[in-house]
Amino acid sequence: AKRSGDTAISFFDRKMESAVKERLQLSQALNHAIERHQLSLAMQPQVNKYQQLIGFEALLRWNHPELGEISPADFIPIAETTGAILSIGDWVLEKSCETLVRWATNSSSKHLKLSLNVSPIQFRRGDFVPRVEQLLKRTGANPKNLRFELTESLMVGDINFIVRQMNSLRQLGVSMSLDDFGTGYASLAYLTQLPLDELKIDRAFVQDLDQRGKGELLTETLISLGRSMNLAVIAEGVETDKQFERLQELGCEFFQGYLFGRPSVDAERYFND
Ligand code: C2E
Ligand code: CA
Ligand code: CA
Ligand code: CA
């Protein structure tokens, strides 16, 4: 019994050790990802109730030469602990502005909005707002077409500072969306204080619509809440016609999900003409 116990412990240690090693390897590789041109942005369409294209969400992709495609859900948390998220965030912002400038030359795409995910680490930087302002100036991108998606995890600590940052960005013309709405804590306590333009209903609440009755009560409440605050309400992760129909009945106006299109590095395939 003792022998097998020892074996179990050392196996566990080895597993731990390899997990730590893996993280370390990933974080080192991540430092070179930008300069080695391994990052790209996949664009996922956002539509209105007529399924007309209104914009895109930019989703980061990391193509590692040996490991293949690594999900942002796996590497963003690492990038946040190492600080690599700062240069990665700058890269996403710059690529997005360049994309908007390209879209602005075409009448079928110049109205499109581009939503970016902004990490709390990035947003809490003292110089985040001047950085954004400079980049907009340098690229010539129209701030009206740019939207930042923030998550509820940002709303801890100095909320006044966050509100000031958001106000300054809105003064530049950039709009603000609260991502994964409903999944965080204490949402209601600060919601009315935040200068928001949009609420993004998390995919979990879209899935809840598959069971009628109790399952959809919370979804309905979140949508009504957004509408009563005069915010645009968009649902993410819409996969079925049934979910699309029910969301419309509940007052949701904008939609994103596999039903309308998967994230693609070739956004133009979704353009109307
Ligand atoms: P998120 O912001 O909630 O993004 C939505 C995720 O749901 C994306 O996963 C998207 O591909 C996926 N999705 C979209 N439609 C559907 C659907 O109909 N069904 C299902 N099952 N999934 C759908 P992805 O691309 O793997 O991104 C994961 C997360 O990584 C994002 O979640 C976001 O939090 C983070 N992320 C992505 N890009 C960036 C970035 O540039 N910066 C930062 N800070 N975070 C990012
Ligand atoms: Ca998002
Ligand atoms: Ca989301
Ligand atoms: Ca989500």
Side-chain angles (χ1 to χ4, degrees):
K2 189 165 180 283
R3 251 193 100 83
S4 71
D6 287 350
T7 311
I9 288 166
S10 65
F11 176 70
F12 179 71
D13 283 346
R14 261 184 277 129
K15 262 190 92 169
M16 284 273 286
E17 197 185 283
S18 74
V20 170
K21 257 192 200 147
E22 216 170 82
R23 250 182 107 83
L24 196 67
Q25 272 167 2
L26 271 192
S27 73
Q28 279 163 354
L30 202 48
N31 286 329
H32 304 292
I34 297 177
E35 66 205 48
R36 292 181 186 164
H37 307 286
Q38 294 165 355
L39 297 183
S40 56
L41 287 178
M43 303 289 182
Q44 186 174 33
Q46 301 183 331
V47 302
N48 63 15
K49 65 174 173 174
Y50 307 110
Q51 299 199 43
Q52 291 161 328
L53 183 68
I54 52 159
F56 290 91
E57 178 178 5
L59 293 158
L60 198 54
R61 296 291 176 261
W62 180 16
N63 202 330
H64 188 283
E66 283 111 46
L67 302 171
E69 278 258 332
I70 305 172
S71 163
D74 293 328
F75 72 82
I76 295 284
I78 296 176
E80 285 178 332
T81 59
T82 65
I85 191 66
L86 295 179
S87 46
I88 290 173
D90 283 345
W91 183 88
V92 170
L93 199 56
E94 183 170 359
K95 285 292 158 232
S96 300
C97 287
E98 288 168 359
T99 300
L100 282 176
V101 170
R102 257 184 287 121
W103 291 352
T105 60
N106 195 314
S107 65
S108 70
S109 56
K110 66 178 182 199
H111 66 284
L112 296 172
K113 295 222 172 196
L114 187 54
S115 288
L116 308 188
N117 295 284
V118 179
S119 158
I121 309 270
Q122 214 184 335
F123 199 82
R124 288 203 194 99
R125 279 178 120 161
D127 62 348
F128 182 66
V129 178
R131 269 170 186 277
V132 172
E133 187 173 16
Q134 243 180 36
L135 198 59
L136 286 166
K137 254 199 212 133
R138 184 156 64 76
T139 58
N142 185 352
K144 298 269 177 235
N145 294 326
L146 194 60
R147 181 155 43 213
F148 289 158
E149 296 191 2
L150 310 173
T151 55
E152 292 173 67
S153 61
L154 178 65
M155 312 305 164
V156 291
D158 190 355
I159 190 88
N160 291 324
F161 170 72
I162 300 300
V163 169
R164 278 201 304 279
Q165 294 273 88
M166 291 174 77
N167 277 324
S168 308
L169 289 164
R170 281 175 105 210
Q171 260 154 25
L172 295 178
V174 180
S175 54
M176 298 291 140
S177 179
L178 190 58
D179 197 6
D180 299 338
F181 182 56
T183 59
Y185 308 93
S187 334
L188 290 176
Y190 57 72
L191 189 60
T192 53
Q193 299 179 46
L194 299 177
L196 287 167
D197 301 282
E198 180 184 86
L199 281 189
K200 198 162 190 184
I201 307 289
D202 189 69
R203 180 160 67 93
F205 301 107
V206 174
Q207 285 171 333
D208 283 348
L209 295 177
D210 296 341
Q211 319 114 24
R212 290 239 166 182
K214 259 199 184 149
E216 59 177 30
L217 187 63
L218 198 49
T219 316
E220 182 173 11
T221 307
L222 295 175
I223 294 170
S224 317
L225 195 61
R227 301 218 47 176
S228 71
M229 294 174 62
N230 277 319
L231 302 175
V233 177
I234 183 168
E236 69 174 15
V238 183
E239 294 180 353
T240 66
D241 282 309
K242 218 179 116 192
Q243 291 168 345
F244 180 40
E245 273 166 36
R246 196 66 194 120
L247 282 164
Q248 288 179 72
E249 287 166 3
L250 297 178
C252 186
E253 292 170 295
F254 304 106
F255 312 87
Q256 181 184 338
Y258 295 164
L259 182 63
F260 315 102
R262 295 198 171 238
S264 166
V265 285
D266 175 25
E268 266 120 80
R269 63 189 273 205
Y270 294 116
F271 287 6
N272 293 323
D273 56 336

